[in-house]
Each structure stands twice: as C-alpha cells, then as structure tokens.
Amino acid sequence: MTELKRYITSEDLKLHNKPGDLWISIHGKVYDVSDWVKDHPGGDLPLLNLAGQDVTDAFVAFHPASAWQYLDKFFSGYYLKDYTVSDVSKDYRRLVFEFSKMGLFEKKGHVACVTLCVMAMLFAVCVYGVLCCDSTWVHLFCGGLMGILWIQSGWMGHDSGHYQIMPTRRLNQYVQIVAGNCIAGVSICWWKRNHNAHHMACNSLDFDPDLQHMPFFAQTTGSLDIMCSSWMDWFHGGLQFQIEHHLFPRLPRCQLRKISPFVKELCKKHNLPYNIVSFWKANELTCRTLRTAALQAQDLANPVPKNLVWEAVNTHG
C-alpha cells in the first residue's frame, strides 16, 4: 500500500528558521538540516540565512550532481504543498544542466598550473632583486611584482575555495592554505564561511558578510561586469564576469567568458538588468561612488536618509 504524502505550506516552513530547528525545501521536498549545520562543508551561515525557505536554486548552484544522493538522509517526511518554480528559475536550472552536459564544470584548463609557475617565478625574481641589488628602482620594480604575486595568490585561494583546481582534494586544500593563509594572509576557513554566505545573499545588507565591514569598507548594492580583452582575464582572475560568477560559482574562471552570451540572453528574456561597462568606466563609477559616500558622510547637519553610509552602518554585521 502506497504511503500518503504529508504536506506543509511555505508559511509552516518559515517557522523552522532558528538554530536547532532548521528546515529547507529542495524541489518541493522538505529537509531537516538542524544537526547537519555544524558539519556543512559550506559553513553554517548559508543554512542559517536560508532556513525556512526553498533553496533549490542555491543548492543547484553550489553542489555537483553527486551531492543529490545524500539528501534523503535529511528528508523530514514532508513535501511543500505550495511549491512553485518561476520561469527565471526554470531557465536558470536549464542552463546549469546544459553547462554540466557540456562538461564546463570539469574543464578547468591550465590556469592553476600556469599561475602557480608564474607565482614561483615572481617570488624568485623578487627575492633575487632585493637581496642582490642595491638599486632603489629595482626594489620598486620588485615591489610591483610582489603586488602581482599577492593578487594572483588571492585568485588562487578564491578558485580553490569554489571548486577543486588540483587533481586531488588534499592538494587542493594545500593550495588553499599556501595561497590564502601563507601568502595572502587570509584564513581560508574564515573566507569560505563568509564567502559562501556572500554568494547565497549577494549584496544583501542583512545577510551578506562582504557588506558588513564598516568602518573599514563601504560598498554599494549596484553589481556589474567589466568589458576587456581576453588576455586580461588572467589579471582579473575571471572576476570581471561578476554576474556570471555569482550565478555559477562552481564554474572554472576559464569558462566564464564562454557562458557570458547565455547569461545575457537569460537577462534579456526576463527583463533583468545586465550591467557591463569598460575598465575605465568602472573605475570612474567607483570614484564617483566613493565621492558620493564621502560627501554624504561629511554633511552631518543635514544627513540624507538611508544614504550609502547609513546602509553600511545599519547592517546586521
């Protein structure tokens, strides 16, 4: 005899959104992840921020197909009665499936190998220049090279935190520690915990940790891509494709330019903004935003309600 399905509504699901009582919905099935939160590889923040909601798109974005087999052990026995899928989500999930079928998530190119070799070469040149030459200009040049080394180290830590860039998981963790902790000086564990939450609630003043660093950093909520030649992709770490990266965080950086037309078409079809400007225009917009924030902060006698500074200070971070 077939067992009757038990259902709850979205309103019922929202009640299970506290530590010790975390429920989520994926494809209409409800899962209890209350105990899993402490062992979740992506950290506790994504689950805490998304508890009580349908998280299908987030799960699809961050997990390979092999992860689906582990969901059943968290199944609560309930199904979401009023589960629906928007047209945007349908098209997004279709793109994820198509990219998977094309093997784009697995084709990582030779970016990691080339970058590691370049980093080693830059480090050797810097050490040699500083120790073996007394010229101020050589030292300044070496300082510039060291800056490039640190930037690339950050990109390596970023990539290895999103997907496995090395042949084995252990080697990938080693690269994370060397690139993140040792060279860039950033704890890779802290970064992954915050960065995963950033991707789950990108540019949300309430839930995005990357927007909660006042008074050291102030950011706006507007995101955009930067137009540049393909030879500049390496210098940008692929992150000039901000929109593509945040929609498909597991996608290797060498594939972001390839999928850009698909993302543009998706945005156009659903009347979604797709902001893209030149490198120089992006810098102009940055300077203009900083100037606006500074002038608003300076005007203490007549502050603008909910300006950039107000938004940054009043986050929950």
Side-chain angles (χ1 to χ4, degrees), residues 53-67:
Q53 304 176 49
D54 176 76
V55 301
T56 307
D57 287 336
F59 188 86
V60 167
F62 267 87
H63 299 81
S66 58

Side-chain angles (χ1 to χ4, degrees), residues 96-154:
V96 175
F97 176 74
E98 290 297 326
F99 295 161
S100 297
K101 206 163 65 167
M102 294 164 64
L104 299 186
F105 291 101
E106 304 304 321
K107 296 175 183 175
K108 304 178 177 67
H110 303 289
V111 176
C113 180
V114 171
T115 301
L116 285 172
C117 292
V118 170
M119 287 170 58
M121 181 184 69
L122 289 176
F123 183 74
V125 170
C126 289
V127 171
Y128 179 82
V130 171
L131 296 180
C132 301
C133 184
D134 295 329
S135 171
T136 301
W137 291 108
V138 171
H139 288 189
L140 288 174
F141 177 71
C142 290
L145 293 182
M146 185 59 76
I148 296 176
L149 168 64
W150 275 326
I151 290 172
Q152 291 303 322
S153 174

Side-chain angles (χ1 to χ4, degrees), residues 210-227:
D210 282 7
L211 266 66
Q212 300 173 355
H213 297 303
M214 279 295 287
F216 302 106
F217 299 105
Q219 303 181 31
T220 68
T221 53
S223 180
L224 53 80
D225 281 11
I226 299 175
M227 286 185 294

Side-chain angles (χ1 to χ4, degrees), residues 121-305:
M121 181 184 69
L122 289 176
F123 183 74
V125 170
C126 289
V127 171
Y128 179 82
V130 171
L131 296 180
C132 301
C133 184
D134 295 329
S135 171
T136 301
W137 291 108
V138 171
H139 288 189
L140 288 174
F141 177 71
C142 290
L145 293 182
M146 185 59 76
I148 296 176
L149 168 64
W150 275 326
I151 290 172
Q152 291 303 322
S153 174
W155 297 151
M156 288 293 288
H158 176 269
D159 289 352
S160 62
H162 273 296
Y163 55 91
Q164 189 167 306
I165 62 175
M166 302 303 288
T168 67
R169 186 176 296 273
R170 183 175 292 276
L171 278 175
N172 198 67
Q173 291 174 339
Y174 177 74
V175 169
Q176 289 177 347
I177 293 172
V178 172
N181 294 46
C182 299
I183 301 179
V186 176
S187 166
I188 196 66
C189 291
W190 169 86
W191 178 88
K192 288 177 70 174
R193 180 176 183 267
N194 281 267
H195 197 70
N196 286 328
H198 156 72
H199 271 272
M200 295 300 180
C202 188
N203 288 349
S204 164
L205 289 170
D206 291 336
F207 301 111
D208 185 350
D210 282 7
L211 266 66
Q212 300 173 355
H213 297 303
M214 279 295 287
F216 302 106
F217 299 105
Q219 303 181 31
T220 68
T221 53
S223 180
L224 53 80
D225 281 11
I226 299 175
M227 286 185 294
C228 65
S229 301
S230 58
W231 64 269
M232 291 188 71
D233 290 356
W234 185 78
F235 293 96
H236 283 105
L239 294 188
Q240 76 275 30
F241 294 106
Q242 280 282 299
I243 300 170
E244 288 77 6
H245 171 64
H246 283 90
L247 285 173
F248 306 97
R250 290 191 301 110
L251 204 65
R253 71 164 97 161
C254 59
Q255 305 295 351
L256 295 176
R257 184 176 288 274
K258 183 181 295 185
I259 69 157
S260 181
F262 296 96
V263 176
K264 288 179 183 177
E265 186 60 33
L266 177 70
C267 293
K268 180 180 179 181
K269 178 180 178 180
H270 296 283
N271 295 317
L272 298 172
Y274 184 94
N275 301 318
I276 183 167
V277 298
S278 68
F279 175 80
W280 301 110
K281 183 64 176 179
N283 281 278
E284 178 189 332
L285 291 173
T286 300
C287 292
R288 190 186 304 169
T289 299
L290 291 172
R291 182 177 185 275
T292 300
L295 291 175
Q296 290 175 352
Q298 176 181 308
D299 191 3
L300 299 178
N302 186 29
V304 180

